[in-house]
Amino acid sequence: MPIEFDITLTSKDMYRFNMYQTYSGFHGWFSIIVAICAFIVAGVTYGKVELTYTIIYIVFGIVFLLYLPVTLYVRSGHSLAASRILGKPLHYAVDGEGIGVSQGEESAKLPWEQIYKMVATKHNVLIYSNRINAYVIPREQLGDRYADLAGLAASKLEKYRVKMQQDGSR
């Protein structure tokens, strides 16, 4: 029996996906490390150099901490507004063969063999077709069908390709 549900993405869902994608990779960690280093340098050099340099180090750290989240927030809103597909409801049908997505008369099927990985975050279920692209399913819209989806994914995919808790927790 297929698991069927409809979802409508919001800019908040896209933002959460982009934040996960960025901060689970090199760029996110690098920006945090650079910001921390800038704050440490500001603290160590305070009183030893001109106050202007200390302020520049602090500003540099703040920019590195805030640049990515702000950029991702703006980009999420723009990408959702620019896409005529993502702004409309998507119908998902998940069965033993794979994951089907349809909208109006358009449809696509992603077989289980072609799924790169499935990940559950606190707010989304992400179905990756490759390292970068993923179907974003907001968990609040998925509701009580999460456990069924996690169970089916665990039975169809290798263990290392599924990062979902069966009990519905993160």
Side-chain angles (χ1 to χ4, degrees):
M1 182 170 154
I3 304 165
E4 296 193 31
F5 51 91
D6 294 316
I7 63 113
T8 303
L9 288 175
T10 64
S11 60
K12 188 183 216 178
D13 299 321
M14 292 300 293
Y15 174 68
R16 287 177 174 155
F17 166 69
N18 287 330
M19 287 289 285
Y20 172 80
Q21 191 80 341
T22 299
Y23 283 99
S24 63
F26 173 76
H27 290 96
W29 286 105
F30 180 75
S31 69
I32 291 171
I33 291 168
V34 169
I36 290 170
C37 289
F39 292 133
I40 290 171
V41 169
V44 169
T45 61
Y46 179 72
K48 297 176 186 172
V49 296
E50 291 182 35
L51 183 60
T52 308
Y53 288 112
T54 303
I55 292 171
I56 288 172
Y57 296 140
I58 292 171
V59 168
F60 189 68
I62 290 171
V63 166
F64 259 86
L65 277 181
L66 296 180
Y67 175 76
L68 277 176
V70 170
T71 303
L72 293 175
Y73 182 79
V74 171
R75 189 185 311 163
S76 297
H78 288 300
S79 65
L80 201 60
S83 174
R84 56 189 182 101
I85 294 171
L86 294 177
K88 296 178 183 174
L90 295 167
H91 179 75
Y92 285 82
V94 184
D95 58 24
E97 295 177 19
I99 299 170
V101 183
S102 61
Q103 184 181 63
E105 295 181 18
E106 300 292 324
S107 65
K109 184 85 168 186
L110 182 63
W112 288 107
E113 302 83 41
Q114 293 181 3
I115 294 175
Y116 181 73
K117 69 179 175 178
M118 285 182 69
V119 177
T121 66
K122 183 177 179 181
H123 298 286
N124 294 323
V125 172
L126 308 172
I127 303 169
Y128 285 86
S129 56
N130 58 41
R131 292 185 65 201
I132 299 170
N133 300 318
Y135 293 100
V136 179
I137 302 171
R139 284 181 71 161
E140 66 183 20
Q141 293 182 42
L142 186 58
D144 59 354
R145 291 175 297 273
Y146 172 83
D148 297 333
L149 181 62
L152 191 55
S155 70
K156 293 293 182 179
L157 297 172
E158 292 90 354
K159 188 175 182 177
Y160 69 92
R161 290 173 41 195
V162 180
K163 293 183 175 125
M164 300 175 72
Q165 299 294 324
Q166 298 274 341
D167 61 6
S169 66
R170 186 175 170 212

